[in-house]
Amino acid sequence: MESQPLLRGSSARSKLPSWTLFLAVCAVGIGGTFQYGYNVSIINAPTQHIHRFLNETWTNRYHKALNPDLLTFLWSVIASVFSLGGMCGALVGGSMAIRLGRELLGEEMYWPLLLSSSCLPAFAQLLFLPWFPESPRYLLIDRGDELSCVKALKRFHGSSEYEREMEDIQRESFALDGEKAKKPWQLFTDRAVRWQLITVIVMTMGQQLSGINAIYFYATYVFEQAGISAEHIPYVTLGTGACECLTALTCGLLIDYVGRRYLIIGGYLLMTFWSIVLTFSLTYQELYPWVPYVSMTSIFAFILSFGLGPGGITNTLIAELFIQSSRAAAYMIGGTISWISFFTIGMLFPFIVNRLKQYCFLVFLLECSSVAAFLFFVIPETKNKSFLAIEKEFHKLNFGRNKKETELYERRQLHDGF
């Protein structure tokens, strides 16, 4: 299912989503973002047990102690290797969606079960998704099946509320004029989507390299310094996950009131600020008794900022920056870049922490501030705008003062208006 801008007029009354739409979003979330967050979160819980398992296995097999740097490397591989599977899924997912449609424990003795438990939400998604209708945009634009598109819209929005969405999809279909879905490599040579593509690459890399993994890595240490007992730390760590879930829900409520641009830029700026605070508080952690509490507050604040900004907005913006013919390819590129970035930071992060200690947040500070500056100068507000209107916003960036290209674009816009 695809994210769509909400085209509500000032006279339109707000309305809760239909049960079909609500349940479909839940089913997609269970197998998508929930799977991602779940795998990222649970890998930190059995860290000590996995370290012990690696040490004991190495000693039993080779009769010597495991080198600390090699242990760090092996742990990095374990923590990040699932991202390679995610990258494979991103590479084939877009093409499959076009061809087939969109229906697609932390104790020592239990940690293998914990890491394998992610198959349960995947099974739940496979079980429930076939009961929902196809994506309306896919049905009309990719397959040309208007009747099925109307039926799907009625199920998602109700018989009395679907017309506005139908008109928007018809306008986009007319503008595309039968244009076929593009391949990922075609986007790299298409000047009409140059800055949209650059924006997607910057956002997906920025999301993974923002320092959120460093926050979870340092969480246990900070909680210990704050005086929280060892048996209670897992529950406090669980609170950080609950905090991220809360911000995801809050972001969903704010996104159409505040706007995508303000939330994502504001999120990166807040993360920049809390990176500065964390660097100082971790440096002087033992100087004053109240400093550990500043670090603990900063961790929760950083997670809140991530959830309200890049964590909740990035995927929505990827969907809104492209029209239907380019969207699947854009998701494939964005997904691939995201997983490569995740794998890279997963491999390098333990070594960065070992060398830089708390000063690793200076690296993330620079990254977050750079992404915020880029988005401030490049990305337009997409709230309450159609895909075609957003495409027009990028026209000046993509073509600049090229008179010939501008005339062709304006002629196309005039043609679309009729």
Side-chain angles (χ1 to χ4, degrees):
M1 291 182 60
E2 300 149 349
S3 302
Q4 304 178 37
L6 301 181
L7 304 176
R8 292 194 295 247
S10 58
S11 61
R13 57 186 181 87
S14 60
K15 165 183 186 299
L16 292 175
S18 67
W19 271 109
T20 301
L21 181 58
F22 175 76
L23 293 174
V25 169
C26 289
V28 172
I30 286 172
T33 52
F34 175 82
Q35 279 278 59
Y36 169 80
Y38 183 76
N39 281 282
V40 170
S41 300
I42 64 171
I43 196 63
N44 290 308
T47 300
Q48 294 180 347
H49 305 315
I50 296 176
H51 280 185
R52 189 179 302 115
F53 169 78
L54 291 172
N55 276 315
E56 291 175 355
T57 303
W58 187 273
T59 302
N60 291 335
R61 184 170 298 177
Y62 300 105
H63 307 291
K64 61 180 180 179
L66 180 58
N67 182 280
D69 287 337
L70 182 56
L71 175 63
T72 301
F73 173 76
L74 292 174
W75 166 243
S76 300
V77 172
I78 292 171
S80 59
V81 73
F82 93 98
S83 60
L84 297 181
M87 183 181 70
C88 294
L91 287 171
V92 302
S95 298
M96 290 178 65
I98 294 170
R99 295 180 183 179
L100 306 177
R102 267 58 177 175
E103 297 177 11
L104 306 169
L105 296 171
E107 294 181 11
E108 183 170 7
M109 64 181 297
Y110 295 120
W111 68 261
L113 294 177
L114 178 67
L115 296 184
S116 62
S117 62
S118 60
C119 65
L120 297 177
F123 177 75
Q125 188 182 40
L126 289 174
L127 184 65
F128 294 123
L129 274 183
W131 295 96
F132 298 108
E134 270 290 1
S135 161
R137 288 183 184 274
Y138 165 76
L139 290 171
L140 181 61
I141 299 177
D142 291 326
R143 284 177 42 182
D145 191 344
E146 185 170 350
L147 181 61
S148 296
C149 175
V150 171
K151 289 181 178 178
L153 284 172
K154 285 182 177 180
R155 286 192 63 186
F156 283 132
H157 298 283
S159 299
S160 60
E161 299 288 337
Y162 79 94
E163 291 92 347
R164 187 167 54 253
E165 286 290 340
M166 186 65 186
E167 290 172 2
D168 181 46
I169 297 174
Q170 287 174 329
R171 281 196 297 269
E172 186 176 350
S173 178
F174 182 74
L176 290 172
D177 195 24
E179 183 179 353
K180 298 296 183 182
K182 294 179 179 178
K183 305 296 183 183
W185 54 86
Q186 293 176 310
L187 295 192
F188 287 101
T189 58
D190 187 353
R191 188 172 181 179
V193 296
R194 176 181 297 173
W195 278 98
Q196 292 96 310
L197 189 60
I198 293 173
T199 302
V200 165
I201 293 172
V202 170
M203 286 194 305
T204 51
M205 289 184 66
Q207 185 183 36
Q208 295 299 335
L209 306 179
S210 63
I212 190 66
N213 296 315
I215 288 294
Y216 283 112
F217 181 89
Y218 264 103
T220 300
Y221 167 73
V222 169
F223 296 150
E224 286 175 350
Q225 294 298 309
I228 298 173
S229 60
E231 61 268 19
H232 290 140
I233 284 179
Y235 299 102
V236 181
T237 305
L238 183 64
T240 61
C243 181
E244 190 168 352
C245 290
L246 177 64
T247 55
L249 293 173
T250 305
C251 182
L253 297 174
L254 291 176
I255 191 170
D256 284 314
Y257 292 97
V258 179
R260 284 75 159 151
R261 174 181 163 85
Y262 290 113
L263 281 177
I264 193 167
I265 294 175
Y268 275 113
L269 289 177
L270 285 172
M271 291 161 69
T272 300
F273 171 76
W274 292 117
S275 293
I276 297 173
V277 175
L278 268 170
T279 300
F280 279 101
S281 62
L282 289 172
T283 300
Y284 301 106
Q285 187 86 344
E286 300 177 0
L287 190 61
Y288 299 104
W290 51 266
V291 175
Y293 295 98
V294 175
S295 300
M296 188 165 62
T297 302
S298 300
I299 282 179
F300 280 96
F302 192 101
I303 294 171
L304 284 167
S305 303
F306 176 82
L308 286 173
I313 305 297
T314 301
N315 287 334
T316 300
L317 277 175
I318 293 176
E320 294 180 346
L321 295 183
F322 295 87
I323 56 177
Q324 181 74 9
S325 60
S326 303
R327 192 171 299 122
Y331 263 119
M332 292 169 68
I333 293 172
T336 302
I337 296 294
S338 179
W339 287 114
I340 290 175
S341 301
F342 186 93
F343 179 76
T344 302
I345 196 65
M347 290 293 296
L348 297 180
F349 174 69
F351 296 98
I352 294 174
V353 173
N354 286 343
R355 300 296 187 272
L356 299 180
K357 305 299 181 183
Q358 70 272 17
Y359 297 107
C360 69
F361 286 102
L362 295 177
V363 177
F364 303 125
L365 180 158
L366 179 63
E367 192 272 348
C368 288
S369 59
S370 299
V371 174
F374 173 88
L375 295 176
F376 178 81
F377 288 108
V378 173
I379 195 169
E381 180 53 70
T382 62
K383 183 179 72 171
N384 294 335
K385 293 179 181 177
S386 68
F387 295 124
L388 295 176
I390 296 168
E391 182 191 35
K392 191 174 181 180
E393 292 270 2
F394 277 94
H395 173 68
K396 290 182 180 179
L397 280 174
N398 289 325
F399 295 110
R401 298 180 179 274
N402 191 315
K403 186 175 180 181
K404 182 178 179 181
E405 293 286 356
T406 300
E407 288 177 354
L408 288 173
Y409 181 83
E410 290 176 348
R411 196 175 303 162
R412 177 187 170 189
Q413 293 295 312
L414 183 63
H415 173 266
D416 296 341
F418 288 105

